[in-house]
């Protein structure tokens, strides 16, 4: 049975902590116990740092007793996607090539979590270097969807979404390059927000595609996401692309939860053919609920979205091929000597190490990107993709003339089975068809649960998009919709998820060959 | 005919004069300038030279996962000032680009550089030639980039990676800001091509020094020159020379002294001509310059297939200097080189010929510094172009990197003009300075060098010499004053050089009644 503490939202937990009804140590220990109990079957964590989390919690308790002014989330535990560097804690990005690497520095967002006094429970599983939509490309084996352990929890941030959905953490950090926060949220019945590009520092996030990557909150409620967004957001002089402006008023918007008079744009191109009936039905109901709450609905068209996936799979591999060049065994990470070579050269060691250290999907994208940037092909591939990007930005600009926010289903389908699409990269890529346009244009997007699909009883998600730097609109609309849905459901959607089996101490199984675990 | 020289095989060459009969040289010079900013191009690490390996590093310049670059605005200002000094246009908006290739001393396996959007472009630098004429070097671009780390190859004979036992990498240099200055093809220099190359780099060095943007220490690699050279057929009609298509070029890397720039151009011209005369064609390749043997050897074959997969650096925002800022920087420009030379010549009172000699020796800056340190213009020129130049030349070294500072020369000059030392003693002091015995005053003290002005000892020596040379003494008595020179020489010998020759002459003439 799940304890009250782990069932509580971050906002409720923060409130109980500030009223000293519970201590940070109790809150942290309850989540560590939950991890112990269920992570053997969910496999959300690659590394659990019980000692570090409890030390932070003790410090927070001490300061609270001393009467110090604490951050609102002080003592609220959090899980961090293994893509963010954490000083003294292993950071692998789901790759064998970084097995055992302990960063000598913290990512800016980790520094901010620590400054807020949030105990870091551990690092969550992900597709290798965030390349994937299922966590099946993690070198340490897949995570499992708490709604159905045979299904994927989404990706690349499936570890974070699964951890939050199964009450192992009230909050988690995700990163979203083409949907890696929003798609896992949709398929696990949780909330995930990709802020405006530049809204959250990328310093210390192992880069996949620099012009698309953005970190954001993963939670069970819209308000919780806003709380975490406020902690991690804001200007960072260490990231040139970070926006030098105050964090948008996301918290106020989430609390106000008002959509009266707001124009909601339904994107014609996102939601027709290829979308599962149950996904569409829940989406349409959600739109109706917004209308009932006082919003106005308009249809908008974004014709260039048809080329978004193609452009994305040129820009992402191009940038990734360059970003991943640094993994060469010269300074850190896996080093493999080529077999049968006497006195191998540095280049031969690089090649052997990259061959052994990278998984197939990573190699596939490095090869794609290297090709797309090659002299003679650059204009046709990378150059054209950048033009498509501009067209998509124009489509969004035109759509936001007519609507204050745009909405669509987050994903075309509910969670698929582990193994179902692993040998069909194109089918896997199609999962992100609705989320990718936001990354290509830098605008913010949030996914929240819209219900369960009739045909399979699995969670569906609705995506809300807003113009760049207007992140607060996501939270205003999201919170309003969430309130209407929860009222209709008679409680949170996750309450309908099946109870998870609790393994003997949650000991990790070795079936999927997971290697890193505290 | 080839001979083995210090491990490299020297390739056949033709006589330099022969080259010009058949061919016309075309050069392109790429000069990398290390800026002297306090911190690196994209992080806050210090930039000191010669610090313990890997002590000036951080997650950014080590290329650790997750780290991001941030542009050093001081480096951008230096780059703009260099561009302005080279009469370039300054971009109002430009981006960095990634140059992708794998190399162990490059932490990210891409170099953050500029590609098709340089900060400065379309400029020129007028270079004064030894014969007094001016050669205009057209500047294609000056762009910003970061330096790589430094590989040290341990074991093996040559210090190169080939044959080494293992290699060490020092990342202190990784991320040091560089500005790369690229010329357009330099045509029309003919037989003077090697001198044009040297004069250009010397002028550029002095300009960068005056701008205070670089330490301009060629021996420490703060200026590094790559020499591109090709030969094309010499046209019967000089006016039509530029219609003759260019030949295949070679790129000689890291030519790191003024003298070597001149020699490398000269050598490659004679080597290219030999290859072409033999009916073969030039291989487009990079070449290594060997300072000791004065030859180049084949490096990596370069082809058009070299593909750095440049694309705009997504981790950085564009650099967009406002016009107002550029004008502010323009106001900080030092005086133009030609004006500066005219002013210095006037200040120093040199003749045109003397000034040209100074320029050809690459000694303008050294003399300026020497005078600033209290030396006389005459003394400064005498030492730098005389004794020091002779010794540097004998050791095939550049004056600026020879181990004598402008302050040393000013001090040495002061010792002579104050009458403490004569020239021969000053040369001994120079030996001591070069042997790192200390400053000229310290060396003179330690070696006990001081002119004897005590007339007692000198007078005794003069008497002795007159007595030993009655025939010469008679000639002087008869009024042949010039004959006194022989006596002075002997007196100086008697005094073991430690006498004031002028005083000895006075005494001789006095004693022989010829005064």
């Amino acid at each position: 049975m799940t304890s009250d503490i782990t069932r509580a939202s971050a906002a409720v937990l923060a409130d109980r902590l500030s009223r000293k009804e519970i201590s940070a140590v109790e809150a942290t220990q309850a989540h560590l116990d939950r991890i112990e109990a269920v992570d053997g079957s969910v496999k959300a964590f690659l590394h659990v740092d019980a000692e570090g989390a409890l030390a932070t919690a003790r410090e927070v308790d001490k300061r609270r007793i001393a009467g110090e002014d604490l951050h609102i989330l002080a003592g609220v535990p959090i899980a961090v996607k293994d893509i963010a560097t954490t000083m003294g804690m292993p950071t692998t990005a789901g790759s064998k090539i970084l097995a055992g690497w302990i960063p000598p520095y913290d990512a800016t967002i980790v520094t901010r979590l620590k400054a807020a006094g949030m105990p870091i429970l551990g690092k969550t599983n992900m597709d290798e270097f965030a390349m994937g939509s299922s966590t099946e490309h993690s070198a340490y084996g897949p995570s499992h969807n708490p709604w159905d352990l045979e299904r994927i929890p989404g990706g690349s941030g499936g570890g974070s979404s699964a951890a939050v959905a199964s009450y192992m953490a009230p909050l988690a950090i995700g990163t979203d390059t083409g949907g890696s926060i929003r798609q896992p949220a949709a398929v696990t019945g949780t909330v995930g927000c990709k802020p405006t590009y530049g809204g959250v520092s990328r310093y210390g996030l192992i880069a996949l595609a620099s012009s698309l990557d953005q970190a954001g909150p993963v939670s069970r409620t819209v308000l919780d996401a806003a709380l975490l967004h406020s902690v991690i957001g804001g200007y960072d002089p260490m990231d040139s692309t970070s926006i030098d402006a105050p964090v948008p008023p996301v918290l106020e918007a989430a609390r106000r939860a008002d959509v009266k008079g707001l124009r909601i744009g339904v994107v014609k191109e996102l939601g027709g053919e290829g979308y599962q009936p149950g996904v569409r039905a829940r989406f349409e109901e959600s739109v109706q609920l917004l209308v009932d709450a006082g919003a106005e609905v308009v249809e908008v068209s974004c014709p260039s979205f048809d080329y978004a996936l193609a452009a994305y799979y040129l820009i992402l591999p191009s940038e990734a091929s360059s970003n991943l060049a640094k993994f060469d065994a010269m300074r850190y990470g896996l080093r493999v000597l080529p077999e049968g070579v006497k006195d191998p050269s540095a280049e031969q060691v690089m090649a052997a190490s990259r061959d052994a250290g990278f998984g197939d999907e990573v190699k596939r994208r490095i090869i794609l990107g290297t090709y797309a940037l090659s002299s003679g092909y650059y204009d046709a591939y990378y150059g054209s993709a950048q033009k498509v990007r501009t067209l998509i930005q124009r489509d969004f600009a035109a759509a936001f003339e007519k609507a204050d926010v745009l909405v669509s289903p987050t994903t075309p389908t509910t969670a698929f089975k582990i193994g179902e699409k692993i040998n069909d990269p194109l089918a896997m890529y199609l999962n992100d068809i609705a989320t990718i346009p936001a990354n290509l244009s830098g605008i913010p997007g949030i996914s929240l649960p819209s219900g369960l699909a009739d045909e399979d009883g699995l969670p569906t998600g609705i995506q809300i998009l807003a113009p760049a730097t207007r992140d607060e609109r996501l939270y205003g609309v999201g919170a309003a919709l969430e309130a209407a849905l929860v009222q209709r459901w008679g409680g949170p959607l996750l309450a309908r998820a099946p109870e998870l089996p609790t393994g003997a101490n949650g000991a990790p199984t070795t079936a999927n060959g997971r290697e890193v675990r505290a | 005919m080839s001979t083995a020289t210090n491990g490299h095989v020297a390739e056949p060459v033709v006589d330099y004069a022969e080259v010009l009969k058949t061919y016309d040289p075309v050069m392109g010079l790429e000069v990398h300038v290390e800026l002297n900013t306090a911190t690196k191009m994209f992080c806050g690490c210090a930039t000191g030279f010669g610090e313990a390996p890997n002590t000036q590093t951080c997650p950014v310049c080590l290329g650790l996962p997750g780290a991001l670059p941030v542009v050093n605005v001081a480096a951008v200002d230096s780059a703009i000032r260099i561009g302005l000094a080279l009469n370039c246009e300054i971009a109002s908006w430009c981006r960095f680009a990634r140059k992708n290739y794998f190399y162990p001393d490059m932490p990210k396996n891409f170099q953050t550089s500029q590609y098709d959007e340089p900060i400065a472009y379309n400029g020129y630098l007028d270079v004064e030639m030894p014969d007094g004429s001016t050669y205009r070097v057209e500047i294609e671009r000056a762009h910003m980039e970061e330096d790589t780390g430094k590989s040290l190859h341990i074991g093996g004979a040559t210090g190169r990676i080939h044959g080494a036992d293992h290699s060490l990498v020092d990342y202190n240099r990784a991320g040091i800001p560089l500005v790369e200055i690229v010329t357009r093809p330099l045509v029309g220099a003919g037989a003077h091509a090697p001198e044009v190359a040297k004069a250009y780099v010397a002028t550029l060095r002095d300009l960068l020094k005056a701008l205070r943007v670089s330490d301009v220490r060629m021996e420490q690699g703060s200026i590094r020159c790559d020499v591109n050279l090709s030969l094309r057929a010499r046209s019967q009609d000089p006016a039509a020379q530029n219609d003759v298509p260019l030949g295949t070029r070679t790129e000689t890397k890291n030519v790191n002294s003024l003298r070597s720039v001149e020699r490398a151009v000269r050598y490659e011209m004679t080597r290219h001509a030999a290859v072409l005369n033999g009916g073969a064609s030039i291989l487009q390749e990079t070449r290594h310059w060997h300072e000791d043997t004065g030859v180049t050897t084949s490096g990596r074959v370069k082809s058009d297939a070299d593909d750095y997969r440049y694309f705009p650096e997504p981790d950085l925002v564009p650099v967009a200097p406002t016009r107002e800022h550029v004008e502010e920087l323009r106001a900080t420009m030092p005086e133009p080189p030609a004006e500066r030379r005219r002013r210095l010549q006037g200040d120093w009172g040199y003749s045109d010929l003397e000034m040209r000699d100074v320029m050809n020796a690459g000694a303008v800056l050294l003399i300026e510094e020497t005078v600033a340190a209290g030396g006389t213009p005459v003394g400064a020129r005498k030492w730098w172009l005389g004794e020091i130049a002779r010794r540097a030349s004998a050791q095939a070294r550049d004056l600026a990197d020879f181990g004598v500072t402008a302050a040393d020369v000013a001090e040495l000059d002061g010792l002579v003009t104050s009458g403490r030392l004569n020239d021969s003693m000053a040369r001994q002091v120079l030996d001591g300075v070069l042997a790192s015995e200390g400053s000229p005053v310290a060396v003179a003290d330690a070696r006990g060098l001081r002119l004897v002005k005590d007339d007692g000892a000198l007078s005794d020596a003069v008497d002795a010499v007159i007595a030993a040379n009655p025939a010469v003494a008679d000639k002087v008595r008869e009024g042949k004053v010039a004959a006194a020179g022989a006596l002075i020489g002997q007196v100086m010998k008697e005094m073991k050089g430690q006498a004031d020759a002028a005083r000895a002459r006075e005494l001789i003439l006095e004693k022989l009644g010829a005064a």
Side-chain angles (χ1 to χ4, degrees):
Chain A
M1 191 55 208
T2 316
S3 77
D4 281 355
I5 290 177
T6 57
R7 288 269 166 168
S9 70
V12 167
L13 207 52
D15 190 46
R16 293 179 65 189
L17 281 162
S18 71
R19 286 193 275 114
K20 298 181 189 159
E21 287 175 17
I22 54 166
S23 70
V25 168
E26 283 171 317
T28 303
Q29 190 59 56
H31 287 95
L32 290 170
D33 291 347
R34 177 70 179 167
I35 293 168
E36 189 99 336
V38 303
D39 201 36
S41 46
V42 177
K43 302 181 197 301
F45 284 87
L46 290 178
H47 178 84
V48 176
D49 183 23
E51 210 174 295
L54 287 169
T56 303
R58 276 193 293 273
E59 180 66 21
V60 166
D61 286 338
K62 211 165 75 187
R63 290 172 57 202
R64 202 185 300 280
I65 289 163
E68 283 184 42
D69 255 356
L70 295 176
H71 189 278
I72 184 170
L73 289 181
V76 176
I78 186 164
V80 176
K81 189 178 181 181
D82 204 30
I83 203 165
T85 57
T86 41
M87 194 152 52
M89 208 190 293
T91 300
T92 68
S95 181
K96 242 191 301 185
I97 210 160
L98 276 178
W101 183 58
I102 305 207
Y105 78 108
D106 277 330
T108 296
I109 56 170
V110 171
T111 304
R112 290 181 179 177
L113 297 177
K114 288 182 175 176
M118 299 178 71
I120 296 173
L121 297 167
K123 308 296 287 290
T124 57
N125 194 21
M126 55 185 283
D127 288 291
E128 184 176 4
F129 290 109
M131 297 183 191
S133 308
S134 68
T135 68
E136 291 169 288
H137 294 304
S138 167
Y140 305 104
S143 299
H144 299 258
N145 192 322
W147 289 81
D148 175 352
L149 293 173
E150 288 185 7
R151 291 179 186 269
I152 59 105
S156 64
S160 285
S161 66
V164 169
S166 58
Y167 306 103
M168 291 191 275
L171 295 170
I173 293 291
T175 59
D176 190 313
T177 304
S180 286
I181 290 175
R182 291 162 289 158
Q183 180 258 7
V187 300
T188 57
T190 55
V191 177
C193 176
K194 180 202 96 70
T196 299
Y197 182 80
V200 177
S201 170
R202 291 186 296 117
Y203 189 77
L205 306 181
I206 299 175
L208 168 54
S210 308
S211 72
L212 304 167
D213 296 345
Q214 185 58 211
V218 176
S219 63
R220 290 191 293 267
T221 71
V222 172
L223 179 62
D224 282 5
L227 282 166
L228 182 52
H229 191 140
S230 304
V231 175
I232 60 175
Y235 178 62
D236 177 14
M238 297 295 276
D239 175 0
S240 311
T241 62
S242 122
I243 297 169
D244 191 359
V247 183
V250 293
L251 209 46
E252 293 81 342
R255 290 196 172 118
R256 206 177 313 119
D258 186 12
V259 291
K260 277 188 203 71
L262 219 64
R263 297 168 303 163
I264 311 278
V266 175
V267 184
K268 197 175 109 193
E269 285 77 9
L270 303 176
E273 207 183 322
Y275 285 75
Q276 197 176 313
V279 169
R280 283 157 68 175
R282 295 295 89 80
F283 172 70
E284 280 151 23
E285 285 165 18
S286 293
V287 172
Q288 187 54 50
L289 285 177
L290 286 169
V291 172
D292 296 346
E296 177 196 334
V297 171
V298 294
E299 192 187 71
V300 298
S301 176
C302 298
S304 303
F305 284 15
D306 289 350
Y307 309 102
L309 194 70
Y312 176 80
Y313 275 102
L314 287 168
I315 292 167
L316 177 142
S318 296
E319 293 184 11
S321 70
S322 175
N323 282 332
L324 268 56
K326 64 177 54 147
F327 300 102
D328 63 1
M330 292 295 114
R331 294 167 306 285
Y332 46 78
L334 183 74
R335 176 178 290 196
V336 172
L337 299 179
E339 267 178 61
V341 181
K342 193 175 166 286
D343 298 333
S345 68
E347 285 75 9
Q348 287 171 317
V349 175
M350 287 181 186
S353 302
R354 288 166 67 81
D355 185 29
F358 287 144
D360 286 348
E361 182 62 21
V362 173
K363 287 177 188 164
R364 184 186 346 263
R365 296 199 198 185
I366 289 174
I367 291 167
L368 276 172
T370 304
Y371 187 76
L373 289 176
S374 298
S375 144
Y377 297 97
Y378 179 93
D379 290 341
Y381 294 123
Y382 188 80
S384 301
Q386 291 292 6
K387 285 179 192 150
V388 169
R389 196 168 183 170
T390 305
L391 293 176
I392 286 168
Q393 284 163 354
R394 284 187 198 154
D395 276 3
F396 270 125
F400 284 123
E401 292 280 309
K402 293 183 187 159
D404 300 303
V405 294
L406 305 178
V407 291
S408 78
T410 311
T411 57
T413 68
T414 54
F416 49 88
K417 288 212 160 135
I418 290 172
E420 193 181 322
K421 297 186 180 178
I422 191 73
N423 293 319
D424 188 351
L426 286 179
M428 189 79 91
Y429 296 169
L430 278 169
N431 251 281
D432 297 329
I433 191 123
T435 46
I436 280 172
N439 299 82
L440 286 174
S441 65
I443 65 164
I446 197 169
S447 176
L448 60 145
S450 56
L452 301 177
D454 296 327
E455 55 272 26
D456 53 22
L458 291 168
T460 59
I462 177 171
Q463 169 179 243
I464 306 165
L465 303 170
T469 74
R470 305 312 300 269
D471 304 46
E472 72 277 8
R473 290 188 192 168
L474 308 177
Y475 289 96
V477 177
L481 177 58
E482 180 184 60
L485 285 166
V486 169
Q487 193 183 28
R488 170 180 252 206
W489 297 329
L493 190 70
L494 274 171
R496 304 192 196 178
E499 282 294 326
L500 287 167
T502 50
N505 295 327
T509 57
T510 51
N512 60 19
R514 184 159 51 168
E515 295 167 27
V516 174
R517 192 179 158 88
Chain B
M1 186 188 66
S2 50
T3 51
T5 53
N6 194 18
H8 340 115
V9 176
E11 295 177 39
V13 295
V14 302
D15 192 60
Y16 186 71
E18 289 299 309
V19 177
L20 282 311
K21 287 182 185 158
T22 329
Y23 302 107
D24 177 51
V26 177
M27 295 183 291
L29 298 171
E30 295 168 21
V31 175
H32 286 86
V33 183
E34 263 186 16
L35 301 181
N36 58 1
T37 50
T39 57
K40 292 187 178 180
M41 187 73 223
F42 299 117
C43 64
C45 285
T47 54
F49 179 82
E51 300 297 323
N54 296 310
T55 54
Q56 295 177 341
T57 57
C58 74
V60 177
C61 57
L62 284 177
L64 293 191
L68 294 173
V70 176
V71 172
N72 178 346
V73 291
V76 175
D77 281 356
S78 291
I80 293 173
R81 294 179 72 238
I82 290 171
L84 291 172
L86 294 172
N87 306 292
C88 286
E89 294 172 52
I90 305 300
S92 56
W93 190 91
C94 64
R95 287 179 296 186
F96 284 93
R98 291 186 184 179
K99 181 181 184 180
N100 294 286
Y101 64 101
F102 283 84
Y103 204 78
D105 62 19
M106 199 163 56
K108 297 167 294 187
N109 285 319
F110 61 78
Q111 181 188 30
T112 307
S113 179
Q114 292 195 292
Y115 180 47
D116 48 1
E117 300 171 12
I119 183 81
Y121 52 96
N122 282 351
Y124 63 87
L125 181 64
D126 285 332
V127 175
E128 209 161 316
M129 297 297 298
D131 63 2
S133 64
T134 297
Y135 184 96
R136 174 161 290 191
V137 174
E138 292 188 359
I139 306 293
E140 183 182 302
R141 55 189 282 154
H143 71 252
M144 301 178 279
E145 60 186 30
E146 58 179 339
D147 211 341
T148 60
K150 224 177 198 166
S151 297
L152 194 63
H153 305 295
I154 312 294
T158 59
R160 292 188 183 276
I161 194 163
H162 184 72
D165 175 48
H166 64 281
S167 302
L168 298 171
V169 188
D170 176 7
Y171 293 102
N172 281 354
R173 201 181 68 178
I176 300 263
L178 294 179
V179 168
E180 180 176 348
I181 300 163
V182 183
T183 67
R184 293 227 162 82
L186 307 184
V187 297
H192 298 298
E195 293 150 63
V196 165
K198 179 187 172 186
Y200 164 66
V201 178
T203 308
L204 187 59
R205 182 195 62 182
D206 290 1
L207 186 64
L208 295 166
K209 176 89 179 181
L211 285 166
R212 298 176 197 279
V213 294
S214 170
D215 295 340
V216 298
R217 302 290 294 269
M218 292 190 81
E219 84 284 8
Q220 290 182 357
S222 56
I223 296 185
R224 309 197 283 272
C225 187
D226 298 342
V227 175
N228 289 278
L229 184 113
S230 64
L231 296 183
R232 59 181 169 181
R234 184 167 170 174
S235 172
Q236 295 305 311
D237 172 11
Q241 182 63 59
N242 283 341
D243 299 334
V244 180
L246 298 178
T248 303
R249 72 190 161 88
T250 53
E251 181 179 8
T252 304
K253 301 289 254 184
N254 293 326
V255 186
N256 291 343
S257 73
L258 294 179
R259 197 169 165 273
S260 293
V261 169
E262 181 170 12
R263 290 168 75 211
V265 171
R266 191 178 295 270
Y267 176 81
E268 276 295 279
M269 284 172 66
T270 58
R271 191 188 66 83
H272 278 223
V275 171
L276 296 171
N277 284 350
S281 40
I282 295 292
L283 199 59
Q284 187 175 340
E285 62 181 353
T286 59
R287 311 263 317 167
H288 298 297
W289 168 250
H290 302 276
E291 184 99 33
D292 47 358
T293 50
V295 303
T296 66
T297 55
S298 179
R300 203 166 48 89
V301 174
K302 243 188 162 169
S303 69
D304 294 331
D306 256 350
D307 189 350
Y308 293 116
R309 291 172 282 118
Y310 281 103
F311 71 104
E313 167 58 279
D315 283 328
L316 292 170
V317 290
V319 173
T322 64
R323 292 299 96 180
E324 292 74 26
H325 185 58
V326 172
E327 290 315 309
E328 276 167 29
L329 293 173
R330 197 190 299 278
T332 69
M333 284 293 107
E335 65 185 320
E339 273 176 42
R340 175 167 165 273
R341 276 196 306 274
R342 273 193 294 279
R343 173 178 61 79
L344 291 175
Q345 187 182 346
D347 288 354
W348 296 340
Y350 291 174
S351 70
D352 288 351
L353 193 65
E354 285 170 339
M355 191 67 190
R356 202 173 300 154
D357 285 346
V358 166
M359 280 162 46
N360 293 343
V364 175
L365 199 62
L366 293 167
I367 291 177
E368 190 182 20
E369 288 171 352
T370 305
V371 172
T376 63
V378 171
R381 187 173 60 81
K382 185 183 79 181
W383 284 106
W384 282 116
L385 267 60
E387 194 60 27
I388 302 172
R390 242 192 318 280
R391 295 183 190 210
S393 167
Q395 292 183 33
R397 307 259 300 274
D398 275 353
L399 278 183
D401 305 335
F402 188 53
V404 187
T405 66
D408 290 336
V409 175
E411 201 172 303
L412 194 63
D413 182 48
L415 289 172
V416 175
T417 52
S418 70
R420 175 170 168 182
L421 303 181
N422 61 21
D423 281 0
S424 128
M425 293 160 89
R427 281 193 291 276
Q428 293 178 53
V429 168
L430 187 61
D431 292 339
V433 171
L434 285 167
S436 304
E437 289 171 21
S439 72
V441 169
V443 172
D445 288 349
R447 294 192 173 194
L449 295 168
R450 174 176 289 277
L451 273 182
V452 175
K453 288 225 170 180
D454 170 7
D455 276 2
L458 188 57
S459 182
D460 290 351
V462 169
D463 290 344
V465 168
I466 289 171
N469 296 278
V472 181
D474 283 345
K475 278 187 186 164
V476 177
R477 285 193 189 93
E478 287 158 15
K480 289 187 178 165
V481 175
L487 297 177
I488 296 168
Q490 294 215 30
V491 170
M492 295 305 285
K493 203 172 160 192
E494 194 86 359
M495 296 294 293
K496 298 189 164 52
Q498 306 211 6
D500 182 343
R503 183 62 190 146
R505 179 187 164 86
E506 278 170 22
L507 284 174
I508 289 166
L509 296 181
E510 206 174 285
K511 287 176 193 278
L512 297 178

